[in-house]
Amino acid sequence: MAQYLVTVTPRTVAHTLPITQSLYLLAGSQLDPDTVARLTTELLHDPVIQQATWCALNTEALQADSGNFLPPGGHYLEIAYRPGVTDNEAESVLEGARRMGISGLEQARTLRRYLLPAHTDPQILAPTLANDLVQTTLIYRHDDDGAARRSLYLLLLTPPARVTARIHQVPLRDADDAELLRISQTGILALDLSEMQAIQAYFTQIGRNPTDGELETLAQTWSEHCSHKTFKARINYRCANRQSMSTALDPHLYSAYHRLQEDNEIDSLLDTFLITATRRVLEAHAAHSPLQWVLSAFVDNAGIVAFTRDYEVSFKVETHNHPSALEPFGGANTGVGGVIRDVLGVSALPIANTDVLCFGPLDLAAAALPPGVLPPARICHGVVAGVRDYGNKLGIPTVNGAVLFDPGYTANPLVFCGTVGIAPRGAHPRAARPGDVVVVLGGRTGRDGIHGATFSSVELTHTTASDVGSAVQIGDPITEKKFLDVLMQARDQGLYNAITDCGAGGLSSAVGEMGEQTGVTVELEHVPLKYAGLQPWEIWLSEAQERMVLAVPPQHLATFLDLCATEDVEATPIGHFTNNQRLHVMHHGQMVVDLAMEFVHNGRPQRMLEAVWQHTPTPQQGTSSPAPPMLTVRESLLRLLAHPNIASKERIVRTYDHEVGGATVIKPLVGVTNDGPGDAAVLQPLRHTYEGLALGCGINPHYGRLDPYWMALACIDEALRNVVAVGGNPSRTVILDNFCWGDPRQPDRLAGLVRAAAGCYDAAIALGTPFISGKDSLNNEYRDAHGQRMAIPPTLLISALAHVPDVRQTVTMDLKEVDNIVYLVGATRAELAGSHYALVCQIVAPDPQPARPDQTLPPLPPRVDLSKARQTFVALHTAIRAGLVRACHDISEGGLAVAAAEMAFAGGHGLHIDLSAMTIAAPWQPADPAHALGAPDAIAIKLFSESPDRFLVEVRPQDATAFEHSLSSTILTRIGRVTANTELRISTATDEVLTIDLATLKMVWQGGLDTGLSQESDL
Amino acid sequence: MGLRVLILRAPGINRDADAAAACELAGAQAERVHINRLADHSLCLHDYGFLVIPGGFSYGDHLGAGKLLAIDLQHRLGEQLATFVADGRPVLGICNGFQVLIKAAILPGLQGGEPATEHVRPQATLTHNASGHFECRWVQLAAEPASRCIFTQGMTMPIEVPVAHGEGRLVVADDTILDQLQTQGQIALRYVAPDGGDVTYPANPNGSVGNIAGLCNPQGNVLGLMPHPEDAVLPQQHPRWTREPWRQMGDGLLLFQNAVRYAAQL
C-alpha cells in the first residue's frame, strides 16, 4: 500500500492566530506519485490563497517535512478524528478523486496542524482545540524524528480488523435480583429491576436465555427516550403544603390545579393531561367548525395540522442534550439532523428550523466549572456552529428560537431543535404491509452512536465522557440532503407504504416500530457498513446518522432503487415485513433476535413513581443573600437590556441562514436597520397563496424554580403572545411541549413535572391550543465524584405554530411613525417573583425574613388569568387583521420597560411612556403575600412586572377609536406616543422618571453577549 | 411555452427551488435537473436557453466552497458547458454557483485562465469571509455602469438583496487582475453603503476586494454573484416591507427578467 502526506499552508495568515495547515493522508495500492501530484494541484489546495507540498509517508520524508513555517522554539499540534468517527473532508477527497476519474486512491484521512509559537503551551492548548472523545492529538517539535507521526498516520489509515460474528447468550434465567441489576448497569441498559424481572419472566417462559441482541433491543425499546416511561408511569402524588390561593381560582378553568391541591394517583401524565387536553380542545373546535384542523397528534414522528385545503404542515421539536454536553458541535449537529428526519418521517418537505439553547453563564469562572464539564462559552460556540452547519447545508431556514443562560445549565446544557415541514394533504402513507421490503436508505452503518437511546436516560458524571463516548457522533448533512431530494420524488410517485427515521435505537427502533402490527424479518448481513468489525447486535443497534427505513412494496422496489441510484443515494433491501407479529433478525443464518412484537412493545411493566410537592422554592443560584441596594429605574433598565437572556442575539442569529427558501416574510430581526428583536417569524411557504405560518416559543426556567404549574401557563401564554403579536390566528394555533427535567425518581423533581403537565392541561384548554407533539428529556442531572447532585431548573419549552390568514396583514414590533399612539393591552399585577428585574437586582425570592420590607417579592411567579387571556388574543388578532395595528410587541422578560425600549430603538423613533393612566390590577386575592408584606414601589411594578398576557401596540391616531372599540373586551390603557426625537422618556403625572437616548439603550442591548462570546472566538 | 431554464441540481445544492421560482416569475419555464441527467446525456444542456447554478453547499464544500462541483463540471460537463457559454447563452451562478464558476475557472475567464494545472495559477478565488463566519443579512448592490454584464442592464439604482454565505470574499492573485477586470467591464456588481458613503463591514459583508459582489466573463453572458437575487423577487421578501411603501416587485427580479429577455432574443 503506497501512502502519502499532502501539506497545505495558507499564503497569508492573520497575525493573531497560529498558522493552521491542512494535512491529507492518501493511500492506495496503485497510488503513484504523479497521481498524488495531480490531486494536490487540482483538488487539495486553492493556489490563489494556499501552497501545497507532498511526500511519501516514510520517516525520512516526515523528518524533512518538519521545520517549515514553524516559529523558533514552537511546537506542532496535530488533530485528527479518531478512527470510526465521521471525517467528511476525507470523504470529499475520495469523492473528488472519483469525479476526476482517478481510481488509485483507496483511503484518505485528514488532520489539522497548528504551528504554535514558543510562548504557548501545547499541552494546555490541545484540550481547547480538540475534543478527546472524537479526536486524537499529537504534539512534537521541529527536530522530531517522525516515528510517532508515522505510527499515528498508519493507525489512521488502518481499517478496523474483521471480527468473527459472535452472538452471546446472556445468562438471565438463573440470575438473582442483584445480578439482574448488575447486567443492566454494566451493559448501560438503563433498565430497572422490575423491567429486568419482566424480561427474565418472558425468557423463562419460552425456555431459553436472551441473546445480546435481544436484551439490547428490549433496553432500547423500553428506554425513556423511546417509550416515555415516566410520562406513562402511575404516579403517587402528594401535596405537602397546599397553597391558600386556590379559592380564588375558578375550579373549571384551573381544574388540574385544584386536583393537585389534593393527594392523588395519576395514571400516565401523557394521557391524563396532554392527550386529554388535546382531545377536549379538538372536541370544542369540532362543535363549531366543520373544517379539519389537527390531522395527527402524538402518533406520528411529528404532529400534523391542516394548512390550506391542499396542504398540511408538520412540526416536531427534539432535544439533544447529553450529546451536546460532551461534543457540542457534533451533538447539536446530529440533533438538527435527527429532527429533520422526523419530519421526513411524515413524508414532508422541511421548510423551517427552530432552535432554543440553554447554557451556563458565558463568563463562568474556570474554578466554578465542575470536573469533566466543558466551559459554557465553548459549549455555546460549538452548539451554535453545529446548528448552523446542518440547517444551512440542508437549505432549511432557521427562523425562530431563544438562547438562555443560567448557572443551572452549566453541566447540563439544553439543545432544542425543531423542524416544520409541508406536504400535500394525505400524501403520507402509514402502514407497512406483509410482503413489503425493508429498505435502509442513506448513510452506512458504523459503530457510532451505540447506546444513544439508553445513554440519554442516565445522569452525566465527571467520567461520562470516557464511559459512553461512543454515543457521540458527527453529522454528514449532505448525505441527508441527498436522500431528502430523493424522498420527495418517491413520495410523489407513491413508491412506499411506510417510512420512519433511523434515530435513537437505530434499526432496532425503526424496523421494530414499523413492523409492530405485522412482524418483520431482517438479514443483517445485507446492511451496508462503513467498515468491518461490527458484531451483529452492533449493526442492529448502531445509531449511525443520516439513515431512513422504508417499507417498499415489491412491485415498486426496482423503480425505487433506480430513483435512488440516479442521485447517488445508497438504498439497500435488508428484509421484509411478515404477518407473524414477530421481530426476527438474522445474521448469516444465525438468530440474533426472535421476539414476539407484543412483548417488545407492550411487555414493559408500568413504572410506579412517587412525587412529593413541597412549596419551598429553592433560591436561584448565583444570587447572594445580603440585601443589595435598590437600583434606579435607569440602572435597572440598562442592566436588563444587557442581561444575556434579553440582550441581542444578532451575532448568533446571523450565522443561521434565515432566507433560504424565500418564504421568510417576517424575519427574526426586524426594524429600520434590520436588527430589532422580532416576536415570531412568519413564513409564506406556498407561492400561490398568501396564507402563512407564524412560529414562536415560550420558555422560562425562573418561573419553574418557583412553581412549574405557573411556569407552564406562562410558557404557553408567551408562545401564543409571540405568534399573535405578528398576526397569527390564536384560534388556529397548535403547540408542542418539550419537558427537560432532572431525575424523575427523585420525588421532588417528579412533583414539579406533574405540576407542569397539569399547567399544560389547564392552559391548553382555556386558550384553545391543542398539543400536536411532545417530547421529554429527563435525567438532566450531574453527579460529581462525591455524589453531589445538580439538576437543571425545571424547563418547559412550548413551541407554537399559528396559521396566518394573509401574510400581507402581519406586523412587526418596531415603531413605525411619529405621533402614533401606544397602548398597553392586558392587566399588570405586582408580579416580580422570578422576573428578570429580580434577577438583575439580585433579589432572592422568596425571602422568609426580609431584610427590608420594600424588597419582599411575592413567592409565586406571574400567573396567567385564564378567564381573560383567550379573549385578549382574539380581540388583538381581529384588530391586526383589520389593519389597525402598526406595531405590536409582546411583554415578557424585563416587563413593559424593556418592551418599550426595544420597540423604540428597533424603529428608530422616540417614545414617551406616561404611566399616569396605568393602574396596577387588584391582587389575585387579598391574602396575596405581595400585598401583605408591602410590594416594591409602584413604578417598579409598572415598568418591570412580568404579568403575562400583555402587549404594547402602536396605532395611528385616526385608527384609535376603531382600535379601542375592537379591544373593548380587554384591559386597555393608552400609555404612550411615538415622538419625533430619539429618546425613551418615561413619566408619571407628577414626575419625570427617565429620559434616555435610544443609541445608549441599543448599544447596551447589542453588547450583552460580547464578553462571553468574544473569549471563545479568540481561539 | 416560455424560455426553458435549466436549474442545475447536485448533491448539497439547496436554493434550486428559489431560483426556479424566480425564473418563473420572470416568465420562463424552469426545470430543476440533476447533474447526473446531463452527464449521462438523458438531457441535453443545449435544449435550454439559460443555465442557473444555484446556491447551496455542493458536496458539503469540505475542500473549499464549490470545489467538488467545479471538478464535476469540468470533468463531466466540460464540453457541453463550454459550447453553451461560447454560444452566448446566459449562465448565472449564485453564491455556491458563483464559487463553482470561479473554481472551475469559467469566471473570471480572462485570457489564459483555465483550470488549475501545475503551471497555471487561477486568477481569483472566493474564500472565507473576513469576519471568519457565515453571515445572513441584506445588502445593497450597485451595478457597474461600464460592465458588459447582460444581467445588470438598466439597473440604475442600487438594489437590496440578501447574502447568506461563509466563503464569499473575492481574492485576486495579483493587482493586475483587478485592473484587467475593471478595464474589460467584468465587474458587474459592487456592495455599496446604504448612506452612499464608504463601504465597510457589514455593507461589504465578506471583505471582498474592491467591494466586488459579482463578476461576469469578458462577453458578459456569464454572471456569478454571492448575494441571492432569487430570494428578493417578491415585495414581501423585503426585510422592511412592514414599514416602507409596498413595492411592485422584489429588486432581484430584474436580473432574471434581463436574462430571460436576452436569452429569448438569441
Short mmCIF file of all heavy atoms in Angstrom, two decimals, chain A residues 633 637 896-898 900-901 911-915 939 943-944 983-988 991-996:
data_model
loop_
_atom_site.label_atom_id
_atom_site.label_comp_id
_atom_site.label_asym_id
_atom_site.label_seq_id
_atom_site.Cartn_x
_atom_site.Cartn_y
_atom_site.Cartn_z
N VAL A 633 -34.36 53.29 38.29
CA VAL A 633 -35.06 52.80 37.10
C VAL A 633 -34.10 52.74 35.93
O VAL A 633 -34.06 51.76 35.17
CB VAL A 633 -36.26 53.71 36.77
CG1 VAL A 633 -36.82 53.39 35.40
CG2 VAL A 633 -37.34 53.55 37.83
N LEU A 637 -33.10 49.32 34.00
CA LEU A 637 -33.39 49.12 32.59
C LEU A 637 -32.13 48.75 31.81
O LEU A 637 -32.13 47.84 30.99
CB LEU A 637 -34.04 50.39 32.01
CG LEU A 637 -34.36 50.34 30.51
CD1 LEU A 637 -35.26 49.16 30.18
CD2 LEU A 637 -35.03 51.64 30.06
N LEU A 896 -42.63 45.83 30.85
CA LEU A 896 -43.03 46.93 29.97
C LEU A 896 -41.85 47.78 29.53
O LEU A 896 -41.75 48.18 28.36
CB LEU A 896 -44.06 47.78 30.74
CG LEU A 896 -44.41 49.15 30.19
CD1 LEU A 896 -45.12 49.02 28.85
CD2 LEU A 896 -45.31 49.91 31.17
N ALA A 897 -40.93 48.08 30.44
CA ALA A 897 -39.84 49.00 30.11
C ALA A 897 -38.96 48.44 29.02
O ALA A 897 -38.57 49.15 28.09
CB ALA A 897 -39.02 49.30 31.36
N VAL A 898 -38.64 47.16 29.14
CA VAL A 898 -37.78 46.54 28.12
C VAL A 898 -38.51 46.49 26.78
O VAL A 898 -37.94 46.82 25.73
CB VAL A 898 -37.33 45.13 28.57
CG1 VAL A 898 -36.77 44.33 27.40
CG2 VAL A 898 -36.30 45.24 29.69
N ALA A 900 -40.83 48.46 25.67
CA ALA A 900 -40.92 49.82 25.12
C ALA A 900 -39.59 50.25 24.52
O ALA A 900 -39.53 50.81 23.42
CB ALA A 900 -41.36 50.80 26.22
N ALA A 901 -38.51 49.97 25.24
CA ALA A 901 -37.18 50.35 24.74
C ALA A 901 -36.89 49.64 23.42
O ALA A 901 -36.40 50.24 22.46
CB ALA A 901 -36.11 50.01 25.78
N LEU A 911 -40.02 57.59 22.03
CA LEU A 911 -41.26 57.10 22.63
C LEU A 911 -41.41 57.74 24.00
O LEU A 911 -40.46 57.75 24.80
CB LEU A 911 -41.20 55.57 22.75
CG LEU A 911 -42.36 54.87 23.47
CD1 LEU A 911 -43.68 55.12 22.76
CD2 LEU A 911 -42.09 53.37 23.57
N HIS A 912 -42.59 58.29 24.22
CA HIS A 912 -42.90 58.83 25.54
C HIS A 912 -43.93 57.93 26.20
O HIS A 912 -45.04 57.76 25.68
CB HIS A 912 -43.44 60.27 25.43
CG HIS A 912 -43.86 60.82 26.77
ND1 HIS A 912 -44.80 61.79 26.91
CD2 HIS A 912 -43.46 60.49 28.02
CE1 HIS A 912 -44.98 62.07 28.20
NE2 HIS A 912 -44.17 61.28 28.90
N ILE A 913 -43.54 57.31 27.31
CA ILE A 913 -44.47 56.47 28.08
C ILE A 913 -44.93 57.28 29.29
O ILE A 913 -44.12 57.76 30.08
CB ILE A 913 -43.76 55.18 28.56
CG1 ILE A 913 -43.35 54.30 27.39
CG2 ILE A 913 -44.65 54.41 29.54
CD1 ILE A 913 -44.44 53.53 26.72
N ASP A 914 -46.26 57.42 29.40
CA ASP A 914 -46.84 58.15 30.52
C ASP A 914 -47.57 57.14 31.42
O ASP A 914 -48.59 56.57 31.01
CB ASP A 914 -47.81 59.20 29.97
CG ASP A 914 -48.47 59.97 31.10
OD1 ASP A 914 -48.20 59.68 32.29
OD2 ASP A 914 -49.28 60.86 30.78
N LEU A 915 -47.02 56.92 32.61
CA LEU A 915 -47.55 55.88 33.48
C LEU A 915 -48.81 56.30 34.24
O LEU A 915 -49.41 55.49 34.95
CB LEU A 915 -46.48 55.43 34.50
CG LEU A 915 -45.21 54.83 33.91
CD1 LEU A 915 -44.20 54.53 35.02
CD2 LEU A 915 -45.52 53.57 33.13
N ILE A 939 -43.83 52.28 40.64
CA ILE A 939 -43.18 52.50 39.34
C ILE A 939 -42.43 51.24 38.92
O ILE A 939 -42.48 50.82 37.76
CB ILE A 939 -42.25 53.73 39.41
CG1 ILE A 939 -43.12 54.98 39.49
CG2 ILE A 939 -41.32 53.78 38.21
CD1 ILE A 939 -42.36 56.26 39.63
N LEU A 943 -43.23 49.13 35.53
CA LEU A 943 -42.23 49.03 34.48
C LEU A 943 -41.65 47.63 34.33
O LEU A 943 -41.26 47.24 33.23
CB LEU A 943 -41.08 50.02 34.73
CG LEU A 943 -41.45 51.49 34.53
CD1 LEU A 943 -40.25 52.37 34.88
CD2 LEU A 943 -41.88 51.74 33.09
N PHE A 944 -41.55 46.88 35.42
CA PHE A 944 -40.76 45.65 35.35
C PHE A 944 -41.53 44.37 35.69
O PHE A 944 -40.98 43.28 35.60
CB PHE A 944 -39.53 45.78 36.25
CG PHE A 944 -38.66 46.94 35.90
CD1 PHE A 944 -38.45 47.98 36.81
CD2 PHE A 944 -38.05 47.02 34.65
CE1 PHE A 944 -37.65 49.06 36.48
CE2 PHE A 944 -37.24 48.10 34.32
CZ PHE A 944 -37.05 49.13 35.23
N GLU A 983 -35.41 59.60 21.85
CA GLU A 983 -35.29 59.34 23.29
C GLU A 983 -36.43 58.45 23.76
O GLU A 983 -37.55 58.53 23.25
CB GLU A 983 -35.40 60.65 24.08
CG GLU A 983 -34.22 61.56 23.94
CD GLU A 983 -34.51 62.93 24.55
OE1 GLU A 983 -35.67 63.20 24.96
OE2 GLU A 983 -33.57 63.72 24.59
N LEU A 984 -36.14 57.65 24.76
CA LEU A 984 -37.20 56.99 25.52
C LEU A 984 -37.42 57.83 26.77
O LEU A 984 -36.48 58.04 27.55
CB LEU A 984 -36.80 55.56 25.91
CG LEU A 984 -37.80 54.84 26.82
CD1 LEU A 984 -39.11 54.56 26.11
CD2 LEU A 984 -37.21 53.54 27.36
N ARG A 985 -38.64 58.34 26.92
CA ARG A 985 -38.96 59.15 28.08
C ARG A 985 -40.09 58.47 28.84
O ARG A 985 -41.07 58.04 28.23
CB ARG A 985 -39.39 60.54 27.61
CG ARG A 985 -39.79 61.46 28.75
CD ARG A 985 -40.27 62.81 28.21
NE ARG A 985 -41.10 63.46 29.21
CZ ARG A 985 -42.12 64.27 28.93
NH1 ARG A 985 -42.45 64.53 27.67
NH2 ARG A 985 -42.83 64.81 29.90
N ILE A 986 -39.91 58.36 30.15
CA ILE A 986 -40.95 57.76 30.98
C ILE A 986 -41.30 58.76 32.07
O ILE A 986 -40.41 59.30 32.74
CB ILE A 986 -40.48 56.43 31.61
CG1 ILE A 986 -40.14 55.41 30.51
CG2 ILE A 986 -41.54 55.87 32.54
CD1 ILE A 986 -39.50 54.14 31.00
N SER A 987 -42.60 59.00 32.21
CA SER A 987 -43.02 59.96 33.23
C SER A 987 -44.29 59.49 33.90
O SER A 987 -44.99 58.61 33.40
CB SER A 987 -43.24 61.34 32.60
OG SER A 987 -44.31 61.27 31.68
N THR A 988 -44.57 60.09 35.07
CA THR A 988 -45.86 59.90 35.72
C THR A 988 -46.56 61.26 35.68
O THR A 988 -46.03 62.22 35.11
CB THR A 988 -45.69 59.46 37.18
OG1 THR A 988 -45.06 60.53 37.89
CG2 THR A 988 -44.83 58.22 37.28
N ASP A 991 -44.04 63.24 37.99
CA ASP A 991 -42.58 63.17 37.94
C ASP A 991 -42.06 62.70 36.59
O ASP A 991 -42.71 61.93 35.89
CB ASP A 991 -42.07 62.17 39.00
CG ASP A 991 -42.32 62.68 40.40
OD1 ASP A 991 -42.00 63.85 40.65
OD2 ASP A 991 -42.87 61.90 41.20
N GLU A 992 -40.86 63.17 36.31
CA GLU A 992 -40.09 62.59 35.21
C GLU A 992 -39.34 61.40 35.77
O GLU A 992 -38.57 61.53 36.73
CB GLU A 992 -39.09 63.62 34.66
CG GLU A 992 -39.75 64.75 33.88
CD GLU A 992 -40.45 64.26 32.62
OE1 GLU A 992 -39.92 63.37 31.93
OE2 GLU A 992 -41.57 64.76 32.34
N VAL A 993 -39.58 60.21 35.23
CA VAL A 993 -38.91 59.00 35.75
C VAL A 993 -37.58 58.78 35.05
O VAL A 993 -36.58 58.43 35.65
CB VAL A 993 -39.81 57.77 35.57
CG1 VAL A 993 -39.12 56.50 36.05
CG2 VAL A 993 -41.13 57.97 36.29
N LEU A 994 -37.57 59.05 33.75
CA LEU A 994 -36.41 58.64 32.96
C LEU A 994 -36.43 59.30 31.60
O LEU A 994 -37.49 59.42 30.98
CB LEU A 994 -36.48 57.12 32.77
CG LEU A 994 -35.52 56.43 31.82
CD1 LEU A 994 -34.23 56.16 32.56
CD2 LEU A 994 -36.12 55.13 31.33
N THR A 995 -35.29 59.77 31.14
CA THR A 995 -35.12 60.13 29.73
C THR A 995 -33.78 59.58 29.31
O THR A 995 -32.77 59.84 29.96
CB THR A 995 -35.15 61.65 29.51
OG1 THR A 995 -36.40 62.14 29.98
CG2 THR A 995 -35.00 61.98 28.04
N ILE A 996 -33.80 58.78 28.28
CA ILE A 996 -32.55 58.13 27.90
C ILE A 996 -32.49 57.99 26.38
O ILE A 996 -33.50 57.72 25.72
CB ILE A 996 -32.42 56.77 28.64
CG1 ILE A 996 -31.05 56.15 28.44
CG2 ILE A 996 -33.50 55.83 28.28
CD1 ILE A 996 -30.74 55.08 29.47
#
